[in-house]
Amino acid sequence: MIAFIILSVLFLSTTIYFSYRAYVLAGVLADQEEYYETVSQTNEYMYMRISQSHDAMTQIDRLGAFEKDDEAGTTFAMLKQVINELKEEFDAQEEEKK
């Protein structure tokens, strides 16, 4: 009889412990899913902004008016190069997803 009581208490305590762990892990999983959604939204926003910046830079220099000899032209060229590299990288990532 005592052995049955001891086994019942052990079984009950083990069940409570595993139920608690499942509850905690479910909360952690929900937090991770929320974090993943936030990162995904940030990536989509950044892709959109890089694409818009690329389009704006292309529109600004549609005639090729910025000379690379002066300081403004050099800065413009460097900015355009950075935006082009970011756009190429994000475009490659978008193609990998598809």
Side-chain angles (χ1 to χ4, degrees):
M1 184 70 165
I2 293 177
F4 178 72
I5 294 173
I6 291 173
L7 287 176
S8 296
V9 169
L10 285 174
F11 177 74
L12 183 62
S13 62
T14 303
T15 303
I16 291 171
Y17 172 75
F18 284 123
S19 297
Y20 171 75
R21 291 298 296 165
Y23 176 75
V24 169
L25 289 175
V28 170
L29 181 62
D31 290 343
Q32 289 297 323
E33 288 176 0
E34 192 175 298
Y35 176 74
Y36 178 76
E37 273 299 314
T38 303
V39 169
S40 178
Q41 290 172 354
T42 302
N43 279 347
E44 290 174 11
Y45 173 77
M46 291 303 295
Y47 178 76
M48 180 188 67
R49 293 295 297 161
I50 289 170
S51 182
Q52 289 173 348
S53 298
H54 181 265
D55 294 342
M57 292 290 279
T58 303
Q59 181 65 24
I60 289 170
D61 196 31
R62 67 185 177 279
L63 301 176
F66 287 98
E67 293 291 329
K68 292 186 179 182
D69 299 344
D70 63 354
E71 187 175 328
T74 303
T75 304
F76 183 84
M78 288 172 29
L79 284 172
K80 191 171 181 180
Q81 178 185 358
V82 168
I83 289 175
N84 282 334
E85 289 173 2
L86 286 172
K87 183 162 175 43
E88 288 172 9
E89 185 176 327
F90 270 88
D91 283 342
Q93 288 178 0
E94 286 293 315
E95 289 179 12
E96 286 177 9
K97 287 182 182 179
K98 294 177 184 179

